[in-house]
Amino acid sequence: MADYLAGQHVPHLLVDADDENHSFHRFFPDSLLVNPRNIRSIDSIVGMAESGDHRIVLVDLRAGSGEEMLQWFEDVPFDELRETVRFVGWGCVTTDPDSVIVLLRWANSLSDRVRYVVVKNEKDGKEITALEQTKEGAAFLKQRRPEEVRIPLLSPSAAVADLNKNNLSLGSALALKEKIPGLTDTMMKNRFRRYQRVIFDQFDRLAEVIFP
């Protein structure tokens, strides 16, 4: 998403609020580091959105963010902010049922105060049965009508490890002039470009959600 926003030339701010490993900041060093355990630090994100300096504020939370963040959201004056700030929750799920449990817990707490996008990460398989074939998951899909993005498996799988090892997103790998064997050669770059296009095409269809 950060690579996509950069390509759209839209004023945006990147925020890393993952206090476990700050992986987002490794990939995007310009992202602002925020401590999710510091209430005032989190409050400042809303202020940045209200300022109008950034059309989009993209915040990365750690996987399975807990009660502290949910409690923080309870203090957000959604009705008061409605005219200036819109919240969209992007929930990433996999074949692991725990990922769906976390998504549904957040949706149960936030209800209709945010809009939802479900990101189905297919790294371990395409069937997210815990979301599609459970009573709770079916109720969420029916009530909230989330948009959907599918992230296909990147092949070869070793490329993911190589990107992580070099702290590279797909966009930065494609822009890199330095030659990294097996990662930035002609064939791999073309494979990355095609893979990225599959994802960006889905973002294009969500323009009304991404660019309010």
Side-chain angles (χ1 to χ4, degrees), residues 33 36 56 64 72 91 137 153 155 171 209:
L33 289 174
I56 295 173
W72 178 83
L153 176 68
S155 180
V209 177

Side-chain angles (χ1 to χ4, degrees), residues 18-19 22 30 38 51 67 70 78 83 145 151 159 166 169 180 184 193:
D18 178 350
D19 60 340
H22 290 302
D30 291 339
N38 184 316
S51 72
E67 293 302 319
L70 285 174
F78 287 96
E83 295 301 317
R145 299 183 180 278
I151 307 297
N166 290 278
S169 68
I180 301 178
T184 60
R193 197 172 292 112

Side-chain angles (χ1 to χ4, degrees), residues 103-122:
L103 168 66
L104 296 178
R105 180 160 59 92
W106 274 76
N108 184 59
S109 177
L110 296 175
S111 186
D112 61 354
R113 294 176 292 177
V114 307
R115 190 166 183 176
Y116 298 93
V117 178
V118 174
V119 181
K120 295 182 176 179
N121 187 339
E122 299 178 350

Side-chain angles (χ1 to χ4, degrees), residues 85-198:
V85 179
R86 183 172 69 170
F87 291 82
V88 180
W90 294 68
C92 186
V93 297
T94 67
T95 56
D96 181 357
D98 286 345
S99 66
V100 176
I101 290 172
V102 170
L103 168 66
L104 296 178
R105 180 160 59 92
W106 274 76
N108 184 59
S109 177
L110 296 175
S111 186
D112 61 354
R113 294 176 292 177
V114 307
R115 190 166 183 176
Y116 298 93
V117 178
V118 174
V119 181
K120 295 182 176 179
N121 187 339
E122 299 178 350
K123 66 183 182 69
D124 298 318
K126 295 184 178 182
E127 300 303 320
I128 317 293
T129 55
L131 178 63
E132 298 157 348
Q133 298 178 17
T134 62
K135 180 180 177 181
E136 297 81 0
F140 164 71
L141 295 175
K142 182 178 179 180
Q143 294 170 6
R144 304 302 168 216
R145 299 183 180 278
E147 303 290 350
E148 179 182 303
V149 171
R150 285 189 174 270
I151 307 297
L153 176 68
L154 176 60
S155 180
S157 57
V160 178
D162 289 338
L163 288 168
N164 287 331
K165 182 175 67 176
N166 290 278
N167 297 329
L168 294 172
S169 68
L170 282 178
S172 52
L174 288 170
L176 201 64
K177 302 298 182 184
E178 174 191 352
K179 291 292 184 180
I180 301 178
L183 191 63
T184 60
D185 54 57
T186 301
M187 284 300 299
M188 189 60 73
K189 276 195 169 184
N190 192 59
R191 190 171 290 118
F192 284 165
R193 197 172 292 112
R194 182 168 55 84
Y195 179 83
Q196 187 185 65
R197 189 69 260 162
V198 168

